[in-house]
Amino acid sequence: MSRIENQLKSMGYELPPVFVFPKNNRRGCVRMGHLLYLSGHGLNLPLLEGVRQTGRFGQDITEAEGYATARAVMLTILSTVKAELGSLDRVKQVVRLFGMCNASPDFTAMPQVIDGASDLVYELFGPEAGCHARTAVGMATLPRGIAVEISGEIEVWPD
């Protein structure tokens, strides 16, 4: 087990199975040189306390549930990254996360929701590699009614 996976385990988490995209015209990430471009993740989340697969912020999901859900989405992203690289120790820098919340018009706490993902990578990879650029926005709806979707970019160490 890699150093980062051991750290993840010490935090009380394990990587879920890799999400298989429903059509072969897309995949979880694409590697271009030293960058991984991450597809939006948000389906088939691990069943952790407070995680909500579907719903809308400002109607039936709390900010705390959103934080837990964003953290679970990040775990699915990390599964994709490990499948692509073979080891999470190959992550050099979390460059950017783009977080979307399925939100009612009056919900404005998207940054606090997406902090679930940001805090996880900051704790896991440390203040240098885990500190990243980020966007957190609300959307009128997300695919299949999911609560949170996150995409982004990660720099990897050369082969």
Side-chain angles (χ1 to χ4, degrees), residues 101-129:
C101 299
N102 185 349
S104 64
D106 60 335
F107 185 79
T108 60
M110 289 77 79
Q112 293 85 343
V113 168
I114 303 303
D115 275 345
S118 291
D119 288 348
L120 178 63
V121 295
Y122 187 84
E123 294 162 16
L124 187 58
F125 294 104
E128 293 297 318

PDB file of all heavy atoms in Angstrom, residues 101-129:
ATOM      1  N   CYS A 101     -22.784  22.243  -7.052  1.00  0.00           N
ATOM      2  CA  CYS A 101     -23.825  21.805  -6.127  1.00  0.00           C
ATOM      3  C   CYS A 101     -25.180  21.945  -6.794  1.00  0.00           C
ATOM      4  O   CYS A 101     -25.470  22.984  -7.406  1.00  0.00           O
ATOM      5  CB  CYS A 101     -23.815  22.671  -4.864  1.00  0.00           C
ATOM      6  SG  CYS A 101     -22.297  22.598  -3.932  1.00  0.00           S
ATOM      7  N   ASN A 102     -26.008  20.932  -6.666  1.00  0.00           N
ATOM      8  CA  ASN A 102     -27.386  20.998  -7.130  1.00  0.00           C
ATOM      9  C   ASN A 102     -28.127  21.844  -6.097  1.00  0.00           C
ATOM     10  O   ASN A 102     -28.415  21.374  -4.993  1.00  0.00           O
ATOM     11  CB  ASN A 102     -27.944  19.577  -7.207  1.00  0.00           C
ATOM     12  CG  ASN A 102     -29.325  19.516  -7.800  1.00  0.00           C
ATOM     13  OD1 ASN A 102     -29.987  20.516  -7.986  1.00  0.00           O
ATOM     14  ND2 ASN A 102     -29.756  18.297  -8.099  1.00  0.00           N
ATOM     15  N   ALA A 103     -28.404  23.113  -6.438  1.00  0.00           N
ATOM     16  CA  ALA A 103     -28.846  24.063  -5.414  1.00  0.00           C
ATOM     17  C   ALA A 103     -30.075  24.863  -5.824  1.00  0.00           C
ATOM     18  O   ALA A 103     -30.247  25.218  -6.995  1.00  0.00           O
ATOM     19  CB  ALA A 103     -27.704  25.033  -5.100  1.00  0.00           C
ATOM     20  N   SER A 104     -30.896  25.159  -4.832  1.00  0.00           N
ATOM     21  CA  SER A 104     -32.009  26.076  -5.038  1.00  0.00           C
ATOM     22  C   SER A 104     -31.439  27.490  -5.177  1.00  0.00           C
ATOM     23  O   SER A 104     -30.310  27.761  -4.754  1.00  0.00           O
ATOM     24  CB  SER A 104     -32.992  25.987  -3.870  1.00  0.00           C
ATOM     25  OG  SER A 104     -32.357  26.415  -2.678  1.00  0.00           O
ATOM     26  N   PRO A 105     -32.189  28.415  -5.763  1.00  0.00           N
ATOM     27  CA  PRO A 105     -31.666  29.765  -6.009  1.00  0.00           C
ATOM     28  C   PRO A 105     -31.205  30.513  -4.759  1.00  0.00           C
ATOM     29  O   PRO A 105     -30.311  31.360  -4.850  1.00  0.00           O
ATOM     30  CB  PRO A 105     -32.842  30.493  -6.664  1.00  0.00           C
ATOM     31  CG  PRO A 105     -33.669  29.415  -7.274  1.00  0.00           C
ATOM     32  CD  PRO A 105     -33.517  28.228  -6.355  1.00  0.00           C
ATOM     33  N   ASP A 106     -31.779  30.202  -3.593  1.00  0.00           N
ATOM     34  CA  ASP A 106     -31.404  30.934  -2.386  1.00  0.00           C
ATOM     35  C   ASP A 106     -30.255  30.289  -1.598  1.00  0.00           C
ATOM     36  O   ASP A 106     -29.802  30.836  -0.600  1.00  0.00           O
ATOM     37  CB  ASP A 106     -32.630  31.122  -1.479  1.00  0.00           C
ATOM     38  CG  ASP A 106     -33.245  29.796  -1.049  1.00  0.00           C
ATOM     39  OD1 ASP A 106     -33.067  28.792  -1.761  1.00  0.00           O
ATOM     40  OD2 ASP A 106     -33.910  29.771  -0.006  1.00  0.00           O
ATOM     41  N   PHE A 107     -29.732  29.163  -2.058  1.00  0.00           N
ATOM     42  CA  PHE A 107     -28.615  28.507  -1.374  1.00  0.00           C
ATOM     43  C   PHE A 107     -27.313  29.160  -1.806  1.00  0.00           C
ATOM     44  O   PHE A 107     -27.038  29.284  -3.001  1.00  0.00           O
ATOM     45  CB  PHE A 107     -28.589  27.010  -1.687  1.00  0.00           C
ATOM     46  CG  PHE A 107     -27.532  26.255  -0.930  1.00  0.00           C
ATOM     47  CD1 PHE A 107     -27.740  25.902   0.394  1.00  0.00           C
ATOM     48  CD2 PHE A 107     -26.327  25.932  -1.525  1.00  0.00           C
ATOM     49  CE1 PHE A 107     -26.762  25.205   1.106  1.00  0.00           C
ATOM     50  CE2 PHE A 107     -25.340  25.240  -0.833  1.00  0.00           C
ATOM     51  CZ  PHE A 107     -25.566  24.889   0.495  1.00  0.00           C
ATOM     52  N   THR A 108     -26.500  29.582  -0.839  1.00  0.00           N
ATOM     53  CA  THR A 108     -25.259  30.305  -1.162  1.00  0.00           C
ATOM     54  C   THR A 108     -24.018  29.708  -0.498  1.00  0.00           C
ATOM     55  O   THR A 108     -22.943  30.294  -0.583  1.00  0.00           O
ATOM     56  CB  THR A 108     -25.375  31.786  -0.753  1.00  0.00           C
ATOM     57  OG1 THR A 108     -25.611  31.855   0.655  1.00  0.00           O
ATOM     58  CG2 THR A 108     -26.475  32.496  -1.525  1.00  0.00           C
ATOM     59  N   ALA A 109     -24.138  28.554   0.120  1.00  0.00           N
ATOM     60  CA  ALA A 109     -23.006  27.972   0.863  1.00  0.00           C
ATOM     61  C   ALA A 109     -22.248  26.935   0.044  1.00  0.00           C
ATOM     62  O   ALA A 109     -21.686  25.990   0.606  1.00  0.00           O
ATOM     63  CB  ALA A 109     -23.510  27.376   2.180  1.00  0.00           C
ATOM     64  N   MET A 110     -22.178  27.119  -1.264  1.00  0.00           N
ATOM     65  CA  MET A 110     -21.444  26.166  -2.098  1.00  0.00           C
ATOM     66  C   MET A 110     -19.979  26.017  -1.665  1.00  0.00           C
ATOM     67  O   MET A 110     -19.472  24.895  -1.619  1.00  0.00           O
ATOM     68  CB  MET A 110     -21.509  26.559  -3.577  1.00  0.00           C
ATOM     69  CG  MET A 110     -22.876  26.360  -4.211  1.00  0.00           C
ATOM     70  SD  MET A 110     -24.082  27.626  -3.773  1.00  0.00           S
ATOM     71  CE  MET A 110     -23.626  28.969  -4.827  1.00  0.00           C
ATOM     72  N   PRO A 111     -19.275  27.114  -1.326  1.00  0.00           N
ATOM     73  CA  PRO A 111     -17.886  26.948  -0.879  1.00  0.00           C
ATOM     74  C   PRO A 111     -17.745  26.045   0.343  1.00  0.00           C
ATOM     75  O   PRO A 111     -16.816  25.234   0.416  1.00  0.00           O
ATOM     76  CB  PRO A 111     -17.441  28.381  -0.573  1.00  0.00           C
ATOM     77  CG  PRO A 111     -18.298  29.237  -1.446  1.00  0.00           C
ATOM     78  CD  PRO A 111     -19.633  28.537  -1.459  1.00  0.00           C
ATOM     79  N   GLN A 112     -18.662  26.149   1.293  1.00  0.00           N
ATOM     80  CA  GLN A 112     -18.595  25.323   2.496  1.00  0.00           C
ATOM     81  C   GLN A 112     -18.863  23.858   2.160  1.00  0.00           C
ATOM     82  O   GLN A 112     -18.303  22.967   2.807  1.00  0.00           O
ATOM     83  CB  GLN A 112     -19.589  25.835   3.551  1.00  0.00           C
ATOM     84  CG  GLN A 112     -19.228  27.191   4.109  1.00  0.00           C
ATOM     85  CD  GLN A 112     -19.739  28.362   3.273  1.00  0.00           C
ATOM     86  OE1 GLN A 112     -20.113  28.222   2.119  1.00  0.00           O
ATOM     87  NE2 GLN A 112     -19.735  29.539   3.880  1.00  0.00           N
ATOM     88  N   VAL A 113     -19.688  23.582   1.171  1.00  0.00           N
ATOM     89  CA  VAL A 113     -19.948  22.211   0.738  1.00  0.00           C
ATOM     90  C   VAL A 113     -18.694  21.623   0.093  1.00  0.00           C
ATOM     91  O   VAL A 113     -18.216  20.556   0.490  1.00  0.00           O
ATOM     92  CB  VAL A 113     -21.145  22.151  -0.243  1.00  0.00           C
ATOM     93  CG1 VAL A 113     -21.240  20.781  -0.925  1.00  0.00           C
ATOM     94  CG2 VAL A 113     -22.443  22.481   0.483  1.00  0.00           C
ATOM     95  N   ILE A 114     -18.138  22.323  -0.869  1.00  0.00           N
ATOM     96  CA  ILE A 114     -16.988  21.815  -1.630  1.00  0.00           C
ATOM     97  C   ILE A 114     -15.740  21.758  -0.753  1.00  0.00           C
ATOM     98  O   ILE A 114     -14.788  21.038  -1.062  1.00  0.00           O
ATOM     99  CB  ILE A 114     -16.778  22.626  -2.923  1.00  0.00           C
ATOM    100  CG1 ILE A 114     -18.061  22.604  -3.777  1.00  0.00           C
ATOM    101  CG2 ILE A 114     -15.611  22.100  -3.733  1.00  0.00           C
ATOM    102  CD1 ILE A 114     -18.566  21.204  -4.150  1.00  0.00           C
ATOM    103  N   ASP A 115     -15.759  22.459   0.382  1.00  0.00           N
ATOM    104  CA  ASP A 115     -14.659  22.315   1.356  1.00  0.00           C
ATOM    105  C   ASP A 115     -14.462  20.859   1.773  1.00  0.00           C
ATOM    106  O   ASP A 115     -13.357  20.475   2.158  1.00  0.00           O
ATOM    107  CB  ASP A 115     -14.909  23.163   2.606  1.00  0.00           C
ATOM    108  CG  ASP A 115     -14.444  24.599   2.457  1.00  0.00           C
ATOM    109  OD1 ASP A 115     -13.669  24.890   1.511  1.00  0.00           O
ATOM    110  OD2 ASP A 115     -14.849  25.431   3.295  1.00  0.00           O
ATOM    111  N   GLY A 116     -15.498  20.039   1.687  1.00  0.00           N
ATOM    112  CA  GLY A 116     -15.347  18.620   2.018  1.00  0.00           C
ATOM    113  C   GLY A 116     -14.283  17.968   1.160  1.00  0.00           C
ATOM    114  O   GLY A 116     -13.444  17.202   1.655  1.00  0.00           O
ATOM    115  N   ALA A 117     -14.276  18.273  -0.131  1.00  0.00           N
ATOM    116  CA  ALA A 117     -13.258  17.741  -1.042  1.00  0.00           C
ATOM    117  C   ALA A 117     -11.922  18.445  -0.832  1.00  0.00           C
ATOM    118  O   ALA A 117     -10.874  17.799  -0.757  1.00  0.00           O
ATOM    119  CB  ALA A 117     -13.718  17.893  -2.486  1.00  0.00           C
ATOM    120  N   SER A 118     -11.957  19.762  -0.728  1.00  0.00           N
ATOM    121  CA  SER A 118     -10.720  20.533  -0.558  1.00  0.00           C
ATOM    122  C   SER A 118      -9.992  20.162   0.722  1.00  0.00           C
ATOM    123  O   SER A 118      -8.768  19.990   0.726  1.00  0.00           O
ATOM    124  CB  SER A 118     -11.027  22.034  -0.558  1.00  0.00           C
ATOM    125  OG  SER A 118     -11.443  22.452  -1.835  1.00  0.00           O
ATOM    126  N   ASP A 119     -10.736  20.041   1.808  1.00  0.00           N
ATOM    127  CA  ASP A 119     -10.113  19.682   3.088  1.00  0.00           C
ATOM    128  C   ASP A 119      -9.490  18.287   3.021  1.00  0.00           C
ATOM    129  O   ASP A 119      -8.409  18.062   3.573  1.00  0.00           O
ATOM    130  CB  ASP A 119     -11.133  19.746   4.231  1.00  0.00           C
ATOM    131  CG  ASP A 119     -11.529  21.162   4.600  1.00  0.00           C
ATOM    132  OD1 ASP A 119     -10.863  22.123   4.154  1.00  0.00           O
ATOM    133  OD2 ASP A 119     -12.524  21.318   5.347  1.00  0.00           O
ATOM    134  N   LEU A 120     -10.155  17.365   2.330  1.00  0.00           N
ATOM    135  CA  LEU A 120      -9.622  16.010   2.228  1.00  0.00           C
ATOM    136  C   LEU A 120      -8.274  15.998   1.514  1.00  0.00           C
ATOM    137  O   LEU A 120      -7.312  15.421   2.018  1.00  0.00           O
ATOM    138  CB  LEU A 120     -10.610  15.082   1.514  1.00  0.00           C
ATOM    139  CG  LEU A 120     -10.119  13.648   1.305  1.00  0.00           C
ATOM    140  CD1 LEU A 120      -9.874  12.937   2.631  1.00  0.00           C
ATOM    141  CD2 LEU A 120     -11.106  12.859   0.466  1.00  0.00           C
ATOM    142  N   VAL A 121      -8.170  16.651   0.358  1.00  0.00           N
ATOM    143  CA  VAL A 121      -6.888  16.603  -0.364  1.00  0.00           C
ATOM    144  C   VAL A 121      -5.812  17.415   0.362  1.00  0.00           C
ATOM    145  O   VAL A 121      -4.636  17.063   0.318  1.00  0.00           O
ATOM    146  CB  VAL A 121      -7.007  17.033  -1.844  1.00  0.00           C
ATOM    147  CG1 VAL A 121      -7.864  16.044  -2.603  1.00  0.00           C
ATOM    148  CG2 VAL A 121      -7.505  18.435  -2.014  1.00  0.00           C
ATOM    149  N   TYR A 122      -6.219  18.478   1.048  1.00  0.00           N
ATOM    150  CA  TYR A 122      -5.252  19.272   1.825  1.00  0.00           C
ATOM    151  C   TYR A 122      -4.685  18.431   2.973  1.00  0.00           C
ATOM    152  O   TYR A 122      -3.484  18.408   3.210  1.00  0.00           O
ATOM    153  CB  TYR A 122      -5.927  20.533   2.354  1.00  0.00           C
ATOM    154  CG  TYR A 122      -4.985  21.495   3.020  1.00  0.00           C
ATOM    155  CD1 TYR A 122      -4.263  22.410   2.265  1.00  0.00           C
ATOM    156  CD2 TYR A 122      -4.818  21.496   4.398  1.00  0.00           C
ATOM    157  CE1 TYR A 122      -3.394  23.316   2.873  1.00  0.00           C
ATOM    158  CE2 TYR A 122      -3.957  22.390   5.005  1.00  0.00           C
ATOM    159  CZ  TYR A 122      -3.249  23.298   4.248  1.00  0.00           C
ATOM    160  OH  TYR A 122      -2.392  24.176   4.850  1.00  0.00           O
ATOM    161  N   GLU A 123      -5.568  17.705   3.679  1.00  0.00           N
ATOM    162  CA  GLU A 123      -5.133  16.842   4.780  1.00  0.00           C
ATOM    163  C   GLU A 123      -4.317  15.668   4.270  1.00  0.00           C
ATOM    164  O   GLU A 123      -3.331  15.258   4.888  1.00  0.00           O
ATOM    165  CB  GLU A 123      -6.349  16.320   5.551  1.00  0.00           C
ATOM    166  CG  GLU A 123      -7.134  17.388   6.284  1.00  0.00           C
ATOM    167  CD  GLU A 123      -8.539  16.945   6.676  1.00  0.00           C
ATOM    168  OE1 GLU A 123      -8.822  15.719   6.658  1.00  0.00           O
ATOM    169  OE2 GLU A 123      -9.365  17.819   6.974  1.00  0.00           O
ATOM    170  N   LEU A 124      -4.707  15.114   3.126  1.00  0.00           N
ATOM    171  CA  LEU A 124      -4.075  13.916   2.593  1.00  0.00           C
ATOM    172  C   LEU A 124      -2.706  14.197   1.971  1.00  0.00           C
ATOM    173  O   LEU A 124      -1.739  13.495   2.248  1.00  0.00           O
ATOM    174  CB  LEU A 124      -4.992  13.278   1.557  1.00  0.00           C
ATOM    175  CG  LEU A 124      -4.604  11.928   0.994  1.00  0.00           C
ATOM    176  CD1 LEU A 124      -4.467  10.889   2.094  1.00  0.00           C
ATOM    177  CD2 LEU A 124      -5.646  11.489  -0.030  1.00  0.00           C
ATOM    178  N   PHE A 125      -2.616  15.228   1.150  1.00  0.00           N
ATOM    179  CA  PHE A 125      -1.377  15.510   0.429  1.00  0.00           C
ATOM    180  C   PHE A 125      -0.522  16.602   1.072  1.00  0.00           C
ATOM    181  O   PHE A 125       0.594  16.834   0.647  1.00  0.00           O
ATOM    182  CB  PHE A 125      -1.686  15.887  -1.024  1.00  0.00           C
ATOM    183  CG  PHE A 125      -2.267  14.754  -1.818  1.00  0.00           C
ATOM    184  CD1 PHE A 125      -3.625  14.718  -2.106  1.00  0.00           C
ATOM    185  CD2 PHE A 125      -1.472  13.714  -2.257  1.00  0.00           C
ATOM    186  CE1 PHE A 125      -4.172  13.674  -2.832  1.00  0.00           C
ATOM    187  CE2 PHE A 125      -2.013  12.654  -2.985  1.00  0.00           C
ATOM    188  CZ  PHE A 125      -3.361  12.639  -3.267  1.00  0.00           C
ATOM    189  N   GLY A 126      -1.062  17.265   2.104  1.00  0.00           N
ATOM    190  CA  GLY A 126      -0.298  18.288   2.807  1.00  0.00           C
ATOM    191  C   GLY A 126      -0.476  19.668   2.203  1.00  0.00           C
ATOM    192  O   GLY A 126      -1.086  19.841   1.143  1.00  0.00           O
ATOM    193  N   PRO A 127       0.052  20.687   2.903  1.00  0.00           N
ATOM    194  CA  PRO A 127      -0.176  22.074   2.498  1.00  0.00           C
ATOM    195  C   PRO A 127       0.482  22.472   1.180  1.00  0.00           C
ATOM    196  O   PRO A 127       0.049  23.435   0.559  1.00  0.00           O
ATOM    197  CB  PRO A 127       0.385  22.891   3.659  1.00  0.00           C
ATOM    198  CG  PRO A 127       1.307  21.975   4.376  1.00  0.00           C
ATOM    199  CD  PRO A 127       0.808  20.589   4.141  1.00  0.00           C
ATOM    200  N   GLU A 128       1.490  21.763   0.748  1.00  0.00           N
ATOM    201  CA  GLU A 128       2.116  22.098  -0.538  1.00  0.00           C
ATOM    202  C   GLU A 128       1.334  21.463  -1.690  1.00  0.00           C
ATOM    203  O   GLU A 128       0.784  22.160  -2.529  1.00  0.00           O
ATOM    204  CB  GLU A 128       3.584  21.642  -0.565  1.00  0.00           C
ATOM    205  CG  GLU A 128       4.477  22.403   0.392  1.00  0.00           C
ATOM    206  CD  GLU A 128       4.569  23.882   0.064  1.00  0.00           C
ATOM    207  OE1 GLU A 128       4.681  24.240  -1.125  1.00  0.00           O
ATOM    208  OE2 GLU A 128       4.520  24.685   1.014  1.00  0.00           O
ATOM    209  N   ALA A 129       1.299  20.149  -1.734  1.00  0.00           N
ATOM    210  CA  ALA A 129       0.663  19.437  -2.853  1.00  0.00           C
ATOM    211  C   ALA A 129      -0.859  19.454  -2.774  1.00  0.00           C
ATOM    212  O   ALA A 129      -1.538  19.303  -3.785  1.00  0.00           O
ATOM    213  CB  ALA A 129       1.158  17.998  -2.913  1.00  0.00           C
TER     214      ALA A 129
END
